[in-house]
Amino acid sequence: AQTVTQSQPEMSVQEAETVTLSCTYDTSESDYYLFWYKQPPSRQMILVIRQEAYKQQNATENRFSVNFQKAAKSFSLKISDSQLGDAAMYFCAYLENYGGSQGNLIFGKGTKLSVKP
Amino acid sequence: DGGITQSPKYLFRKEGQNVTLSCEQNLNHDAMYWYRQDPGQGLRLIYYSQIVNDFQKGDIAEGYSVSREKKESFPLTVTSAQKNPTAFYLCASSLSHSYNEQFFGPGTRLTVL
């Protein structure tokens, strides 16, 4: 079965600095999607960034970017110029793509990010 | 505004009672999902529905039941058979099960006393 591992239960970053959250996954498939979701104290899940496995280029959304290493099955999230509003739980998630019919989202256990002013 | 609503935000029930959590979406999405979140855990899939009048078990369906009589509604019933029902429950939807982005509701915190 596919698994997603986030090895950092908690991380801390100074405001305006850069932080990287780690995620590894286990799969024998070649076509899939990877996601980072943010869950602030309100507990609303918000999609931060998406990566398609067949695309070699790393996804970027404003201050958020990923380092996708397919061979190593690694998918880290980099947050640049950290802001107080970035403080949240961050979840890495994996979704298989069965040629247009997809499996279900599999989530890691999350990393709690604190931002210090 | 389009979105997903879950009600109530907080729910308290006595042990042994069934309870139904509401999830409504006006995004015209075909697929809907229910997840459970426990402290220190990621989200785990309870049930999902790809289309009206159809639903499939997820990884932790025991003690739960669902219905999908209308496209916009996907209520979850937590039955007395669920051994540890106290948790945070999240509902999500996507355009279809073959479309990869899921949108989440604000969640319901269920506490069984």
Side-chain angles (χ1 to χ4, degrees), chain A residues 15 38 40-41 46 63-64 82-88 90 113 115:
Chain A
E15 195 175 6
K38 171 185 177 180
I46 302 164
R63 297 183 294 106
F64 298 86
S82 296
Q83 300 175 0
L84 295 177
D86 294 334
Y90 286 83
L113 179 66
V115 181

Side-chain angles (χ1 to χ4, degrees), chain A residues 27-90:
Chain A
T27 184
S28 58
E29 302 297 328
S30 60
D31 195 8
Y32 49 86
Y33 297 92
L34 295 163
F35 305 86
W36 279 99
Y37 279 90
K38 171 185 177 180
Q39 188 180 42
S42 67
R43 305 199 76 172
Q44 174 83 51
M45 293 286 283
I46 302 164
L47 179 65
V48 175
I49 201 164
R50 174 202 299 113
Q51 175 78 42
E52 297 170 64
Y54 65 87
K55 290 187 177 179
Q56 293 187 344
Q57 187 172 6
N58 289 325
T60 300
E61 289 287 342
N62 301 314
R63 297 183 294 106
F64 298 86
S65 61
V66 298
N67 183 5
F68 174 48
Q69 301 289 327
K70 191 172 185 179
K73 298 178 184 175
S74 171
F75 183 60
S76 61
L77 175 70
K78 186 171 83 171
I79 305 174
S80 304
D81 185 25
S82 296
Q83 300 175 0
L84 295 177
D86 294 334
M89 285 289 290
Y90 286 83

Side-chain angles (χ1 to χ4, degrees), chain A residues 39 44 50 100 102 104 108, chain B residues 37 42 97-98 100-102 104:
Chain A
Q39 188 180 42
Q44 174 83 51
R50 174 202 299 113
Q102 293 173 345
N104 298 316
Chain B
Q37 185 178 22
H97 195 54
S98 60
N100 58 74
E101 183 170 352
Q102 292 184 18
F104 285 82

